[in-house]
Amino acid sequence: MLKNISIGIAIGLLVMGGIWGLVHLLGAPSQESAELTTPKSMPGGSKGVMDLICELELDLDGQLALGIKENEPSRVAMAQVDFDQKSGWYQGRIAISESRAGTLTLMGTRVKVYRPAMFQRFGVMISGEEFVVDRKTGRFEQSLSLSDGRTVKLIKGTCAHVIKPPF
């Protein structure tokens, strides 16, 4: 009886070892499989132009802080970051437009575009606007700097890198 238990334990250990080895053999990320499974929504380099398409919506806290009463549906907008020119822009009502691009700053995986401004909106004087895109997660945030010293996050969303076909 002890012999049968020992044989059962030995067979069990061999099967478990085989399964463990098979899982690690098939699950080991090779260079090629790591490239295929790593999300490439945002390039990690800092040269050339990065075209983005973003799904954006009003941030509820920013909406309340500025007293915006109307509801805005989420929308799709284009954005671009030009690493060579150190500038960027995105589309929208209150946006850093293509014709007046902002200044680009790199902060690790985050890309920040800022432009000074001086206009009245929502009953406050806006002294600057910026947007930040995290290249690792695709997270987008747009903030307004107000003349009273507050910074209000107004728009949030997600962006993905636009890959243009070679034709």
Side-chain angles (χ1 to χ4, degrees), residues 42-61:
M42 303 285 165
S46 57
K47 291 185 179 183
V49 174
M50 180 173 63
D51 291 315
L52 304 169
I53 187 160
C54 307
E55 185 174 0
L56 306 175
E57 64 185 11
L58 278 178
D59 184 277
L60 182 59
D61 293 334

Side-chain angles (χ1 to χ4, degrees), residues 13 24 36 54 56 58 62 72 74 78 83 89 94 96 110 116 128 133 135 137 140 144 146 148 154 157 164:
L13 288 173
H24 284 287
L36 293 175
C54 307
L56 306 175
L58 278 178
E72 289 278 331
S74 63
M78 295 297 297
F83 294 103
W89 57 269
I94 302 177
I96 299 174
R110 296 167 40 122
V133 177
R135 291 187 282 180
T137 64
F140 176 99
L144 299 177
L146 307 180
D148 63 6
L154 185 60
K164 296 181 180 177

Side-chain angles (χ1 to χ4, degrees), residues 83-108:
F83 294 103
D84 298 332
Q85 298 294 320
K86 297 190 182 347
S87 67
W89 57 269
Y90 87 98
Q91 299 170 330
R93 280 193 196 171
I94 302 177
I96 299 174
S97 64
E98 187 173 2
S99 63
R100 293 186 54 221
T103 304
L104 173 69
T105 305
L106 299 176
M107 306 175 305

Side-chain angles (χ1 to χ4, degrees), residues 5-131:
I5 292 175
S6 297
I7 292 173
I9 290 174
I11 290 173
L13 288 173
L14 286 173
V15 169
M16 291 299 290
I19 291 172
W20 180 82
L22 188 61
V23 166
H24 284 287
L25 179 66
L26 295 176
S30 66
Q31 180 68 19
E32 184 178 304
S33 68
E35 287 176 7
L36 293 175
T37 58
T38 303
K40 292 191 175 189
S41 61
M42 303 285 165
S46 57
K47 291 185 179 183
V49 174
M50 180 173 63
D51 291 315
L52 304 169
I53 187 160
C54 307
E55 185 174 0
L56 306 175
E57 64 185 11
L58 278 178
D59 184 277
L60 182 59
D61 293 334
Q63 186 176 357
L64 293 173
L66 294 174
I68 301 171
K69 305 247 189 291
E70 60 272 355
N71 280 332
E72 289 278 331
S74 63
R75 61 184 173 82
V76 175
M78 295 297 297
Q80 186 179 77
V81 175
D82 188 334
F83 294 103
D84 298 332
Q85 298 294 320
K86 297 190 182 347
S87 67
W89 57 269
Y90 87 98
Q91 299 170 330
R93 280 193 196 171
I94 302 177
I96 299 174
S97 64
E98 187 173 2
S99 63
R100 293 186 54 221
T103 304
L104 173 69
T105 305
L106 299 176
M107 306 175 305
T109 63
R110 296 167 40 122
V111 174
K112 175 181 167 183
V113 177
Y114 176 80
R115 181 179 78 183
M118 192 57 71
F119 60 89
Q120 184 98 17
R121 193 81 172 262
F122 311 116
V124 295
M125 183 61 74
I126 297 171
S127 60
E129 51 188 330
E130 73 178 37
F131 71 90

